[in-house]
Amino acid sequence: GTIQPDTWHRIVFAVDLAATPSVLDKYIDGVKVGTQSLGALDSIHAFYDTLYLIRDDNDETELGYINSLQIRDEKLSDGLIAALGGATATGILSGPPPNPYISSVSPSADTVRVPSRSTVPPNPQIRVVIENGESSVVPSSIVLKFDDATVTPQISSQGSTTTVTYTPSDLLEPLSIHNVAITFADDAIPANNLGTQWRFAVGPFTPISGDIALPIASASGGGFRARTVQGPEYIQEVNNPTNLAATVQRGIQQLNGTLRDIEGNLVEDVSIAGGNADGSFNIDGAINFATEGEVGNFLLDTPFPGIPGETGHSTQFTTELLGYLDLQAGVHRFGVTVNASRVDVNDDDNFALFIGQNPRDAFSQVLGSYVRTTAPAFDENSQNHNEFTFFAPQAGLYPVRLVYVQSGRQGSLEFYSVDQATGEKTLINDTADPQSIKAYRDSTSSRAGAPYVAELSPRPGTSGNDPSLPLELLINDDRTQLDPATLRLTFNGAQVTPNVAKSGRTTTVTYQPNPTRAQTTNDFTLTYSD
């Protein structure tokens, strides 16, 4: 903000000590012009026995005037500071302002600046808090408009506070921007007509299909199934050729046993297998793993299943977690925290959370994936937090697959839900917390555990693929087995005959189109039965 010369201004510094770290908001004539972090309570911005006000301590000072100074032991709201407005000859009010004022509104107008960073859900509660001044708001005069249409809100009054709330009946679109306006009158004579208007942005969210939900009654065995596959020990040298890429694609290949090293050899698995027939482990509680120490949002970290491996190291592994989540219909917000290292060594952990009838399928929906959000640091053991919102159309058991990929140095993984009203984080399937979302290892539903496409090349939606390379798919059996006789493949609308080979629980499908074809966009359709 700018302070003009030869002009009276009202300047407000509002400090929130409850925030971590403490936050200083700055206002000129009722308008917020900046926010900064103050760090520790007793930092350079704390009051000492000598206070330099609008000057500094070595005489770099110009002549100025102050009308009045007020220090309060509370943080004033944006609404009250706006109501105070600019400078007045009478100084600063020590009591309530003459008229009612809007203390707060939500969702925040700040979300419009960068909608992609908004955390506003698609079913937001619009909330306006009005505080009485010397005159009081008349509740019957309140009119609320949402996207220029007058709506009927809930209005409640307690003491000097009136709260107005409204939730749209339909889900709002991701990244959409909406207008809110409120008007009201007070009981002064004559009455004052007051109000405000603002806009907010809905954050990104993922609508998921209701046909993947299984009956809750089909749940079996509390917890998750976990399987870990580990490669050779990480060499702490940048771009060392023996180090595995920290990508989800590498992790899925590692789980499928198809990952090859730079010499073309299959990467050996040196993890310790679990007690189940497929080498997996039963995880009865929450996902809160670390290779060393206590890190992240939650305490009581436990080792990754199967890690350290047979050779005693804790790097270059992928852990797959499968579960069925008991979700209510509506909007949910999940989070995943993993390790992030220094940017110069480039070995952050990685993850992707899939949901689908069989979430191992390559066409399953991605609910969330790794995006670096932590600031660049020199710490080799920082944590990176990703949160994402989605909508479940009906209550039921939703199959999920969390693929965690570790490269070098330390590793950690937390899987949790986020209360959208309070921001409180709760581990998924925390058996000690009755509010925790429950997870189950299995479902007795006949729709669970169908064969799935484990890998395919080229990837859907990609471009620049070599036309001389074939289409390749790996289809893995799960609880039920693929019937090869039912497999059908079409290429650009015409049925074709691929090569089909089955070995154990894996069916390999290959087809080589004409490498001189003119089409730049090519459509495949695959159908099969178990």
Side-chain angles (χ1 to χ4, degrees):
T2 301
I3 299 172
Q4 300 293 341
D6 300 319
T7 305
W8 284 101
H9 292 284
R10 190 195 304 276
I11 301 171
V12 179
F13 296 108
V15 179
D16 184 1
L17 296 179
T20 305
S22 300
V23 171
L24 167 65
D25 291 331
K26 309 169 187 181
Y27 307 78
I28 298 176
D29 298 332
V31 178
K32 183 186 288 187
V33 295
T35 298
Q36 75 180 75
S37 171
L38 294 183
L41 177 62
D42 289 322
S43 64
I44 62 172
H45 298 288
F47 282 1
Y48 290 95
D49 53 348
T50 301
L51 169 64
Y52 296 103
L53 181 64
I54 321 181
R55 60 157 289 175
D56 65 8
D57 57 358
N58 59 358
D59 296 324
E60 295 174 344
T61 303
E62 295 294 338
L63 180 66
Y65 299 90
I66 184 167
N67 172 286
S68 55
L69 171 67
Q70 186 180 92
I71 300 175
R72 298 197 183 197
D73 61 352
E74 61 181 343
K75 183 183 187 295
L76 299 189
S77 67
D78 290 358
L80 180 52
I81 295 173
L84 293 175
T88 58
T90 55
I92 306 170
L93 286 173
S94 58
N99 306 319
Y101 63 93
I102 294 175
S103 174
S104 65
V105 299
S106 63
S108 170
D110 290 341
T111 58
V112 176
R113 297 179 183 176
V114 186
S116 61
R117 296 181 183 175
S118 171
T119 59
V120 176
N123 60 341
Q125 183 189 72
I126 297 168
R127 189 170 186 267
V128 182
V129 178
I130 306 171
E131 295 288 346
N132 290 335
E134 293 179 357
S135 62
S136 300
V137 64
V138 177
S140 61
S141 70
I142 295 174
V143 176
L144 183 69
K145 289 187 176 182
F146 177 67
D147 286 343
D148 301 322
T150 300
V151 296
T152 303
Q154 298 291 321
I155 301 173
S156 62
S157 297
Q158 184 174 5
S160 63
T161 303
T162 299
T163 303
V164 182
T165 58
Y166 170 74
T167 300
S169 56
D170 298 325
L171 288 182
L172 306 180
E173 293 293 325
L175 306 179
S176 57
I177 296 176
H178 302 272
N179 302 307
V180 184
I182 187 170
T183 59
F184 56 91
D186 64 2
D187 59 5
I189 301 175
N192 295 290
N193 294 315
L194 307 165
T196 192
Q197 58 184 355
W198 80 99
R199 299 190 304 161
F200 68 87
V202 176
F205 75 95
T206 303
I208 58 178
S209 173
D211 61 7
I212 67 174
L214 305 176
I216 294 177
S218 70
S220 174
F224 298 88
R225 277 190 297 144
R227 187 167 70 92
T228 296
V229 181
Q230 185 181 35
E233 186 168 5
Y234 181 87
I235 305 300
Q236 294 194 19
E237 299 174 359
V238 177
N239 297 326
N240 188 291
T242 65
N243 292 338
L244 304 179
T247 64
V248 173
Q249 181 181 5
R250 162 228 137 175
I252 291 175
Q253 290 177 331
Q254 201 171 10
L255 290 165
N256 292 336
T258 61
L259 182 65
R260 296 184 180 274
D261 60 22
I262 58 174
E263 297 178 349
N265 301 314
L266 290 173
V267 174
E268 182 184 8
D269 176 18
V270 297
S271 67
I272 295 177
N276 296 330
D278 61 352
S280 65
F281 297 77
N282 291 337
I283 306 298
D284 296 327
I287 306 305
N288 183 20
F289 301 144
T291 56
E292 57 182 88
E294 291 277 3
V295 297
N297 304 292
F298 305 93
L299 299 176
L300 303 178
D301 294 11
T302 58
F304 282 87
I307 300 297
E310 295 175 351
T311 57
H313 73 93
S314 300
T315 59
Q316 305 225 105
F317 66 89
T318 298
T319 296
E320 171 190 66
L321 296 140
L322 297 171
Y324 297 82
L325 303 185
D326 183 351
L327 298 180
Q328 297 300 309
V331 177
H332 299 268
R333 187 166 180 81
F334 281 1
V336 175
T337 292
V338 298
N339 253 53
S341 194
R342 302 195 323 256
V343 293
D344 60 323
V345 298
N346 193 28
D347 66 354
D348 291 4
D349 298 347
N350 209 332
F351 80 91
L353 178 65
F354 302 91
I355 191 167
Q357 189 164 329
N358 190 326
R360 287 174 162 176
D361 195 279
F363 294 95
S364 293
Q365 199 167 12
V366 178
L367 278 188
S369 58
Y370 181 85
V371 177
R372 186 174 175 113
T373 59
T374 188
F378 294 102
D379 188 357
E380 293 186 357
N381 194 26
S382 301
Q383 275 66 54
N384 191 86
H385 313 283
N386 289 130
E387 296 180 1
F388 31 90
T389 304
F390 64 96
F391 175 74
Q394 66 186 58
L397 280 185
Y398 285 84
V400 297
R401 179 198 200 192
L402 179 56
V403 176
Y404 166 82
V405 181
Q406 202 277 343
S407 52
R409 298 167 173 81
Q410 295 92 337
S412 66
L413 173 65
E414 296 174 336
F415 182 31
Y416 53 89
S417 62
V418 182
D419 187 300
Q420 296 182 81
T422 65
E424 181 181 1
K425 299 176 174 63
T426 304
L427 286 169
I428 303 289
N429 203 53
D430 183 351
T431 55
D433 189 340
Q435 303 301 317
S436 174
I437 292 174
K438 292 181 174 60
Y440 297 90
R441 285 193 295 274
D442 208 348
S443 167
T444 58
S445 171
S446 60
R447 293 195 291 127
Y452 60 94
V453 177
E455 290 182 36
L456 75 162
S457 176
R459 295 287 301 171
T462 58
S463 61
N465 296 291
D466 186 344
S468 66
L469 296 179
L471 169 73
E472 296 181 307
L473 302 103
L474 295 183
I475 305 175
N476 284 346
D477 293 338
D478 199 343
R479 181 187 298 172
T480 60
Q481 297 182 357
L482 168 71
D483 179 1
T486 67
L487 192 144
R488 299 288 184 272
L489 183 69
T490 69
F491 172 59
N492 290 334
Q495 184 167 327
V496 295
T497 302
N499 293 319
V500 180
K502 186 161 188 177
S503 176
R505 300 182 64 83
T506 299
T507 300
T508 303
V509 180
T510 58
Y511 173 71
Q512 177 62 68
N514 181 359
T516 62
R517 61 190 181 275
Q519 301 99 318
T520 57
T521 300
N522 298 271
D523 297 320
F524 288 95
T525 300
L526 175 74
T527 61
Y528 58 88
S529 300
D530 60 1

